[in-house]
Amino acid sequence: MNSCSDTSACVNVSTVGVGETENISQLSIYPNPTQNNFNVDLGQTFNTATVQVYDIRGVLIIEEKVENQSKIDVSFDAPKGVYFVRVNTSNNQSIIKLIKQ
């Protein structure tokens, strides 16, 4: 039968943001879509916050930690595509899709 098979090789898949805590209510990311850098507006000042950018495969490509800030400028030198921005504060987390043009 031409050496055909109905199954493929196993591939590990990473998930981003499954089963997480509540969202940061006033979070915004702009510009989105972006061509280069983008801004994260937390809507309020947090003692600590972490911004992580993941590619479509779930690979972490950027991580920035800040203290006592409400706005974060992120340098984003990556290829065009779809990314996920995860923002963590002490007890909240949000994930937003970011388009790089």
Side-chain angles (χ1 to χ4, degrees):
M1 277 190 149
N2 296 338
S3 301
C4 293
S5 176
D6 63 340
T7 58
S8 62
C10 293
V11 177
N12 289 328
V13 177
S14 297
T15 56
V16 176
V18 176
E20 304 296 345
T21 58
E22 64 184 83
N23 289 339
I24 303 167
S25 61
Q26 298 176 356
L27 175 74
S28 64
I29 293 179
Y30 60 92
N32 190 7
T34 186
Q35 293 185 1
N36 289 309
N37 302 342
F38 64 92
N39 300 295
V40 177
D41 187 341
L42 300 171
Q44 63 182 330
T45 300
F46 288 94
N47 290 336
T48 61
T50 303
V51 175
Q52 299 170 316
V53 180
Y54 293 86
D55 69 12
I56 196 73
R57 298 170 295 159
V59 175
L60 178 65
I61 58 172
I62 296 173
E63 182 173 48
E64 291 193 22
K65 296 179 182 183
V66 297
E67 294 181 358
N68 300 315
Q69 293 185 5
S70 63
K71 294 184 182 175
I72 307 160
D73 297 324
V74 180
S75 298
F76 191 51
D77 184 24
K80 294 178 182 179
V82 177
Y83 296 86
F84 295 95
V85 180
R86 175 188 271 178
V87 180
N88 295 299
T89 62
S90 57
N91 60 350
N92 294 322
Q93 177 171 257
S94 291
I95 298 173
I96 296 177
K97 181 169 68 172
L98 177 70
I99 307 294
K100 172 77 183 277
Q101 296 180 330

